[in-house]
Amino acid sequence: MHKVQSEHVKIANLESALESAYGTVDSYIAETGIKDKSALRLRLLSEEVLRLAKSIIGYGIIEFWLEGDARVSRIFLKAENHLDRDKQKELLSVSSTGENVSEKGFFGQLLSAFMIESPRNSNWSLKEYEDDLRKKKETDKFSQEAWDDLERSIVANLADDIEVGIDKNTIQMVVTKDFSEALNTIGSKPAEIVSGITIIESSKLDEERVYSRGDELVSELEVSPKDETRLKLIYEETVGMLKAMTTEYKAEIWFERYKKECCLKLTAKTNMSAPAKKELIDVSTDKSNSAVKGVMGKIGDIIENGILHYTEVMKLSQEYNGTPVGYGTLGVYGAMDGIDPAVMWSLSDYREALPEVDVEKEAIKQATDELEKSIVGSLAKDVLVGVKGNRVDMTIVYELRG
């Protein structure tokens, strides 16, 4: 897709710059070809980002722009980090104690992250914030209230992630929106039912407990017996992928149910030493990498390599009938210059791209057969994998069939 970077709007006075900022958003939408509900969602996200700018406008010039395409777009807000510690403490006090009612809750957390007190390098992420709340909300009343506030937030519901990076000189927020078709419902409203979570650690994997817990999670979704069986199969294949991974990890898995769809969500973190990274790169980039079996094996391969570096994913290939097919290259989307190395991979993109590969027909047939034999490949509407740094996020979207 055609990559677009909008005009950079300098905001010193929000009221005078508002018309220019909204004009920039509309021009970006027109140039990228984003349409209908996706265009509306991007406008709403942009309004929320500009509302944040309004909250901090008295403390310096803010720079606002957009980058991306019709599949993945990012909204940027950037400012100089020139506040002295007294001003930082004053702003944090107002935004996080609830005295300023309009900025408490999730938006207050975001504002606090943007104007963080510490002068050292720091980072804040919506996904990390959600992880913390998810673990606490069942037993901590405050966390349940914070979760409810999060679900009411327009920006938290519509954004796929929000990252705030602070160093001594610059503060930058990046709001990411993925317009993948499979996320049309999931990325636009709170789930009707969210199951509990199960935690899986590579160092102490209790298979009996993990599979039993999967049955419990699926039963919480209140779906038909056939859908329940299919979702259990998807869960089991996901656990099988984790078991096959050589990387040390701690993963959380849960389910979300929407009106017509369910999704399995996985988030994992890993810590890998430099020698282990080198060993994994040496194995994964070997041209004889024919030991990777099945679709979930490929996804595991992408995750392990994505943790290392984006360029390693681009090297991944599988030999079919002696012909290499690059499953990393075919499924990767949303890459952008100037962003920290990250991987976004989609099973539907991989599936659609296969017939276009200029290789022997027999190789394509074998790769397609492999998709059809996979439980996830045959049942899932899509699988979306995101890897950045030591964090992995995966969403398997399943369309309820009754």
Side-chain angles (χ1 to χ4, degrees):
M1 291 184 180
H2 176 54
K3 303 291 183 184
V4 175
Q5 182 175 145
S6 77
E7 174 190 359
H8 288 223
V9 179
K10 301 276 190 178
I11 304 173
N13 179 296
L14 189 67
E15 298 305 322
S16 64
L18 200 59
E19 185 175 344
S20 175
Y22 285 137
T24 295
V25 174
D26 289 338
S27 297
Y28 174 85
I29 288 172
E31 191 171 352
T32 54
I34 299 172
K35 300 182 182 300
D36 305 324
K37 290 183 179 179
S38 294
L40 175 61
R41 290 166 185 160
L42 188 59
R43 286 192 183 94
L44 287 172
L45 272 175
S46 299
E47 287 175 8
E48 287 289 287
V49 171
L50 289 168
R51 187 160 82 88
L52 179 65
K54 184 177 182 179
S55 300
I56 59 176
I57 201 66
Y59 302 98
I61 296 174
I62 308 295
E63 191 173 359
F64 168 86
W65 76 97
L66 302 95
E67 293 184 24
D69 54 35
R71 179 65 179 277
V72 178
S73 288
R74 295 176 175 91
I75 305 168
F76 291 78
L77 201 64
K78 186 175 181 179
E80 290 184 3
N81 186 17
H82 60 77
L83 294 184
D84 60 41
R85 300 203 78 180
D86 290 338
K87 282 291 185 184
Q88 290 174 355
K89 289 178 181 178
E90 177 187 344
L91 186 57
L92 281 168
S93 173
V94 171
S95 68
S96 60
T97 62
E99 293 177 13
N100 183 343
V101 178
S102 66
E103 303 302 354
K104 71 177 182 178
F106 168 71
F107 203 84
Q109 287 283 336
L110 193 56
L111 180 58
S112 297
F114 204 87
M115 291 283 108
I116 198 155
E117 179 178 357
S118 172
R120 298 173 305 210
N121 293 357
S122 185
N123 294 281
W124 183 95
S125 164
L126 172 62
K127 288 181 178 177
E128 300 287 344
Y129 179 65
E130 288 177 328
D131 286 349
D132 290 340
L133 289 185
R134 190 177 296 110
K135 293 172 186 174
K136 295 176 182 176
K137 69 174 182 175
E138 295 181 2
T139 57
D140 186 329
K141 181 181 177 181
F142 171 78
S143 292
Q144 179 62 54
E145 292 174 354
W147 185 268
D148 292 341
D149 182 78
L150 181 71
E151 290 187 331
R152 286 192 295 268
S153 167
I154 293 174
V155 67
N157 273 313
L158 291 179
D160 291 284
D161 198 12
I162 303 168
E163 296 173 285
V164 181
I166 300 108
D167 61 28
K168 291 182 179 179
N169 301 313
T170 306
I171 306 170
Q172 179 168 285
M173 181 171 75
V174 183
V175 180
T176 300
K177 180 61 185 173
D178 187 338
F179 296 111
S180 297
E181 182 182 353
L183 297 177
N184 278 345
T185 299
I186 294 168
S188 61
K189 62 180 68 175
E192 293 179 357
I193 298 174
V194 179
S195 76
I197 64 174
T198 186
I199 298 175
I200 303 175
E201 294 187 62
S202 56
S203 59
K204 46 183 177 180
L205 181 60
D206 183 341
E207 292 190 34
E208 184 177 348
R209 183 197 66 81
V210 168
Y211 287 117
S212 174
R213 181 60 176 150
D215 292 345
E216 294 172 4
L217 298 182
V218 173
S219 68
E220 295 175 21
L221 301 174
E222 300 176 6
V223 297
S224 72
K226 287 185 178 179
D227 284 328
E228 188 170 316
T229 297
R230 293 168 185 141
L231 288 166
K232 287 178 181 178
L233 290 171
I234 288 173
Y235 174 87
E236 289 171 4
E237 194 165 19
T238 301
V239 172
M241 176 200 73
L242 289 173
K243 286 167 56 181
M245 288 176 61
T246 59
T247 306
E248 291 186 6
Y249 60 83
K250 183 175 182 180
E252 297 172 22
I253 299 178
W254 70 98
F255 287 90
E256 296 177 0
R257 178 187 166 177
Y258 297 80
K259 188 174 183 180
K260 297 181 179 179
E261 294 167 317
C262 281
C263 63
L264 179 149
K265 306 277 284 188
L266 178 149
T267 181
K269 292 181 182 176
T270 180
N271 291 313
M272 188 180 290
S273 65
K277 285 188 177 185
K278 184 179 185 306
E279 180 181 352
L280 186 55
I281 289 175
D282 290 343
V283 172
S284 65
T285 58
D286 191 329
K287 292 183 180 179
S288 63
N289 189 21
S290 57
V292 179
K293 301 296 184 183
V295 172
M296 293 305 282
K298 287 179 171 54
I299 292 173
D301 211 25
I302 286 163
I303 288 172
E304 290 191 315
N305 282 271
I307 289 165
L308 305 179
H309 202 280
Y310 174 78
T311 55
E312 299 305 322
V313 176
M314 306 302 284
K315 298 175 184 178
L316 293 175
S317 67
Q318 181 85 47
E319 286 198 358
Y320 297 92
N321 198 36
T323 304
V325 175
Y327 56 88
T329 307
L330 295 184
V332 168
Y333 70 100
M336 291 182 64
D337 295 333
I339 305 295
D340 291 340
V343 176
M344 299 175 76
W345 186 91
S346 163
L347 177 61
S348 65
D349 281 18
Y350 170 69
R351 184 187 287 125
E352 291 174 7
L354 269 178
E356 300 174 7
V357 180
D358 186 20
V359 296
E360 297 177 12
K361 291 183 179 179
E362 182 60 28
I364 293 301
K365 182 179 183 303
Q366 288 184 29
T368 304
D369 288 346
E370 184 181 59
L371 276 171
E372 293 175 351
K373 290 175 183 176
S374 163
I375 292 170
V376 169
S378 60
L379 293 180
K381 184 177 181 180
D382 201 358
V383 179
L384 298 148
V385 179
V387 184
K388 186 169 185 178
N390 70 340
R391 182 188 176 94
V392 177
D393 291 282
M394 183 172 75
T395 301
I396 301 179
V397 182
Y398 169 77
E399 203 159 16
L400 292 171
R401 306 176 189 184

